[in-house]
């Protein structure tokens, strides 16, 4: 097939198909929300604060009661990031993972109430919370990657 | 100027390939590394409980944390698949749009 337009001229109904092609070519699809630099940066900051907290707990073995503010602040930050993420359409993956992260702070607090965050339990909890952060950051990386490899409609950052 | 369907199809596939490869090249090592790390945590929780280093309650909380981390990993892998499909389709549509504009002679799309 070398001349699609001339074929259209010979077959009935082809103008409609051509118009559909034109319409389709003018569109782009959106299955997942675009990259949001503020969400990405906020997650990176919260991750750094969490790692710093866990390092300090390992060193000082402080009680839950003396560190309760950390959990309140971390959960508040996750809620704020979730509000930001929810402003974008098709962002359910990120929102689900933020809910999971919020739950991880509840579980970490529960673990802390039972004793200082040191030793094996601290090591495992840290690895698991790391995994939740990596899940969120991988998503942001892939949203951003679309722009890097030439996606039509994703912003460059 | 007329549209050549075969050439257009080849151009669209050529636009899609690097997009999918870029996503897969980063998603595959991530999925593999997470599966390995989560498996190691599961073993450590059970070993710690058996050795008495973790109480039953602590082991239970850590198992819940592991379930949450696993769910998040699966959500991420599923969403990366959607992002890859979206970017591949958009790359193909961009090629189609450029070809139609060139054939018509003006930028109508």
């Amino acid at each position: 097939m070398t001349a699609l337009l001339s074929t259209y001229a010979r077959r009935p109904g082809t103008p409609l198909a051509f118009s559909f092609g034109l319409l389709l070519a003018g569109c782009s699809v959106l299955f997942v929300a675009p990259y949001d630099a503020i969400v990405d940066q906020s997650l990176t900051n919260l991750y750094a604060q969490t790692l710093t907290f866990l390092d300090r707990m390992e060193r000082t073995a402080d009680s839950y009661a003396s560190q309760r503010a950390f959990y309140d602040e971390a959960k508040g930050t996750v809620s704020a990031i979730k509000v930001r993420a929810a402003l974008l359409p098709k962002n359910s993956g990120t929102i689900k993972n933020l809910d999971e992260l919020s739950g991880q702070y509840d579980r970490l607090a529960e673990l802390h109430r039972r004793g200082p965050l040191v030793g094996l339990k601290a090591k495992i909890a840290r690895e698991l919370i790391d995994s939740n952060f990596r899940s969120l950051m991988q998503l942001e990386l892939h949203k951003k990657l679309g722009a890097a490899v030439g996606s039509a409609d994703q912003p460059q950052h | 100027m007329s549209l050549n369907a075969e050439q257009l199809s080849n151009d669209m596939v050529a636009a899609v390939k690097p997009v999918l490869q870029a996503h897969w090249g980063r998603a595959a090592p991530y999925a593999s590394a997470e599966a390995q790390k989560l498996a190691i945590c599961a073993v450590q929780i059970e070993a710690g409980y058996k050795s008495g280093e973790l109480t039953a309650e602590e082991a239970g909380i850590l198992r819940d944390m592991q379930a949450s981390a696993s769910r998040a990993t699966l959500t991420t892998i599923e969403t990366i698949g959607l992002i890859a499909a979206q970017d591949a389709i958009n790359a193909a549509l961009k090629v189609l749009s450029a070809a139609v504009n060139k054939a018509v002679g003006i930028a109508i799309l």
Side-chain angles (χ1 to χ4, degrees), chain A residues 4-157:
Chain A
L4 203 57
L5 288 177
S6 61
T7 303
Y8 286 162
R10 289 195 299 272
R11 290 186 185 167
T14 49
L16 183 65
F18 181 64
S19 302
F20 179 71
L22 286 179
L23 188 67
L24 189 67
C27 294
S28 61
V29 298
L30 181 73
F31 299 152
V32 178
Y35 172 74
D36 184 336
I38 292 176
V39 167
D40 199 4
Q41 189 57 56
S42 304
L43 281 169
T44 304
N45 293 344
L46 180 60
Y47 189 27
Q49 285 162 15
T50 302
L51 293 181
T52 303
F53 171 75
L54 290 171
D55 281 346
R56 199 173 70 242
M57 290 305 98
E58 184 71 42
R59 205 175 57 246
T60 62
D62 281 348
S63 69
Y64 168 78
S66 68
Q67 298 298 323
R68 192 176 165 176
F70 166 78
Y71 296 99
D72 293 340
E73 284 166 18
K75 287 204 51 140
T77 303
V78 175
S79 295
I81 298 171
K82 190 179 161 187
V83 168
R84 168 83 191 185
L87 292 175
L88 296 169
K90 311 270 186 186
N91 216 5
S92 63
T94 296
I95 291 168
K96 263 192 216 173
N97 281 356
L98 285 167
D99 285 338
E100 294 290 355
L101 181 62
S102 183
Q104 293 293 58
Y105 284 112
D106 290 334
R107 293 177 200 104
L108 186 66
E110 185 60 34
L111 208 56
H112 202 169
R113 275 186 210 105
R114 291 168 190 277
L117 286 179
V118 294
L120 183 63
K121 69 177 176 182
K123 182 184 167 201
I124 298 172
R126 181 190 181 121
E127 179 57 46
L128 294 170
I129 285 186
D130 274 355
S131 179
N132 282 76
F133 273 104
R134 283 194 299 269
S135 295
L136 282 156
M137 291 161 118
Q138 273 288 327
L139 271 188
E140 292 312 305
L141 172 74
H142 280 266
K143 288 174 182 175
K144 198 174 180 180
L145 186 62
V149 291
S151 172
D153 61 347
Q154 295 203 12
Q156 299 280 346
H157 291 280

Side-chain angles (χ1 to χ4, degrees), chain A residues 142 145, chain B residues 18-31 77 80 84:
Chain A
H142 280 266
L145 186 62
Chain B
V19 175
L20 292 178
Q21 280 168 352
H23 282 293
W24 177 246
R26 286 162 177 81
Y30 162 72
I77 292 167
I80 288 172

